[in-house]
Structure formats: structure tokens, C-alpha cells
Amino acid sequence: MTAFNSVKLNSHSAIASQTKELHPSIHSKLKRVIDVMGALVGLMITVIIAIPIMIGMAISDPGPLLYSQIRCGLHGRRFRIWKFRSMVVGADKMKHLVKNEADGHIFKNTNDPRITCLGVFLRKTSLDEFPQFWNVLMGDMSLVGTRPPTIDEVDKYDTHHLQRLNVKPGITGEWQVNGRSTVKNFEDIVNMDLHYQNKWSLWYDFSLIFKTVIVVFNKQGAY
């Protein structure tokens, strides 16, 4: 491990210095136009579904409708990601009580007790992800990209893992159509993210969006 890796990667400038030049997707104005148009449509749907979700949440598990968390985006730049809340209030403080079933710098538990009854439904249908269309509109995310990592995940990265941060994180991507929550090996996620970067094109983005719709409709791989 290099001297760089022995220090927590909590500086955007430090991370940026380890990444390569901007990926072609970052220069694509058409990709950004598609992101904005998709985000506007997505946000309209988000407003509509927020009403029944808010009612269901008030009945089953009163608390905030939305959940936010700081994530790392392009070149490690931090941003606040938004979701419909699927866990009990204060779930982050209970994380140490739940066993991590994943390998590497990610956290997953098949039967996480912090997930509410409504949250199980929201996750299986991916409805909890809809507020992220706001992140896309703001430019922190893209419709299609890599999985957005948490700060504590990035703090543990080795140098080669930083390549994941060469593109914007996405609402969907390779991991979403190839197992979703069932992918429990961090290196597998890294490989999928790098595969996306190598294969990227607008047509490939469209193909991943189409596959995502099928996977979500069939409720495959989510919990």
C-alpha cells in the first residue's frame, strides 16, 4: 500500500489528483440534456408517488418522508443524496449492531432489521430511489453511471478503486441490472463500474435504462 493509501481519502483534491482525465461521458452535452429531461419527468412522478408513500409512512412508521446521506461523486466531490426513507429513524446510529454480509468496502445485510415494512416494498420496487432525480437535475448524478459510494467506503479505497470516481454516479448502472443488492463483493462492483466506463456510449446508457425497467418490474435482486 502506498503512502497515499495509508491516509484517509477525505479530500476532494487528493482524490482528484489520483484519477485520470475526465471520462468522455463528462464532456457529452447530449448526455446532460438526456439527464435533465429524464430528471424532470422523474421528479413529476416522484411528486405523485410521494403522496401515498407519505400516508403509508405516517401509518406504519411515523417520521421524515425523505432520507439523505453524504456520498462521493465525480472525483470524490461530496454531495447529499436523497431517497424516500426505507429504514427506521436513526438507522445510521444502529449500523454497528447489524452484521455486514458483504466482502470489501460495502455494507449489505439480506434481512436488515432496520428496514421498515413499507421500506421493504419501496426497495423491492426501487421507489425509494426516485428522489435521486433531484440529484440528477442538480448535476451531482446522472441517470446512468456508477454506484455512488459513501464517505467511509471511499476512505478505505486502494488506489485502483478510485477509478470508479472518474464518472458521475448514476441512479442506475451495471450493478442495477446485474444483481442489484445480491452483489456482495466489492471487487465485483468495481469491475462492473470500470466495465461501464470502458463500454460507455449513449446507446449503452439507453440499453441499461431499458434493462433496469425490466429488472425493477420483475423485482429482481433487491431487498
Side-chain angles (χ1 to χ4, degrees):
M1 183 175 292
T2 65
F4 173 81
N5 290 323
S6 65
V7 180
K8 287 189 174 183
L9 305 179
N10 55 7
S11 167
H12 167 55
S13 59
I15 294 175
S17 68
Q18 294 294 314
T19 53
K20 299 178 181 179
E21 60 184 24
L22 288 179
H23 187 269
S25 64
I26 306 302
H27 295 294
S28 177
K29 293 182 179 180
L30 185 54
K31 179 177 173 69
R32 179 56 186 160
V33 169
I34 295 171
D35 279 348
V36 171
M37 293 176 62
L40 291 174
V41 173
L43 286 172
M44 287 190 288
I45 298 175
T46 302
V47 172
I48 295 173
I49 65 176
I51 298 175
I53 291 175
M54 181 171 55
I55 295 174
M57 196 175 294
I59 296 173
S60 63
D61 186 63
L65 173 65
L66 298 174
Y67 166 80
S68 69
Q69 187 180 49
I70 302 299
R71 297 290 183 96
C72 295
L74 178 64
H75 292 170
R77 189 174 71 85
R78 296 178 181 182
F79 69 98
R80 185 174 294 278
I81 196 172
W82 293 94
K83 296 184 178 185
F84 285 123
R85 183 172 61 86
S86 62
M87 289 187 172
V88 298
V89 176
D92 286 341
K93 297 179 181 179
M94 305 176 192
K95 184 177 180 179
H96 68 284
L97 300 175
V98 182
K99 180 182 178 181
N100 186 10
E101 299 176 346
D103 297 320
H105 309 318
I106 52 173
F107 185 93
K108 293 181 182 293
N109 183 286
T110 306
N111 298 300
D112 195 322
R114 299 173 299 166
I115 302 176
T116 65
C117 293
L118 177 60
V120 172
F121 171 75
L122 294 178
R123 289 187 172 212
K124 282 188 174 295
T125 56
S126 290
L127 292 176
D128 63 318
E129 309 283 353
F130 271 72
Q132 291 176 34
F133 283 111
W134 175 256
N135 293 118
V136 175
L137 186 63
M138 292 296 98
D140 295 318
M141 296 179 64
S142 177
L143 294 178
V144 185
T146 55
R147 177 184 169 278
T150 61
I151 293 176
D152 61 319
E153 290 174 9
V154 176
D155 281 349
K156 301 172 185 176
Y157 277 7
D158 293 330
T159 302
H160 71 282
H161 296 146
L162 295 174
Q163 296 178 60
R164 301 182 65 237
L165 306 177
N166 283 343
V167 299
K168 288 184 180 181
I171 293 181
T172 189
E174 290 279 354
W175 86 96
Q176 187 81 349
V177 302
N178 290 295
R180 300 171 77 184
S181 295
T182 62
V183 182
K184 296 183 178 181
N185 188 296
F186 176 67
E187 294 299 335
D188 288 341
I189 293 177
V190 172
N191 290 334
M192 283 189 283
D193 285 345
L194 297 185
H195 178 265
Y196 168 74
Q197 293 183 31
N198 293 331
K199 198 172 180 179
W200 178 81
S201 70
L202 290 175
W203 289 114
Y204 192 56
D205 275 1
F206 282 124
S207 72
L208 288 176
I209 292 174
F210 177 73
K211 290 178 181 178
T212 299
V213 173
I214 295 177
V215 168
V216 171
F217 182 79
N218 292 326
K219 298 179 182 178
Q220 298 174 356
Y223 55 77

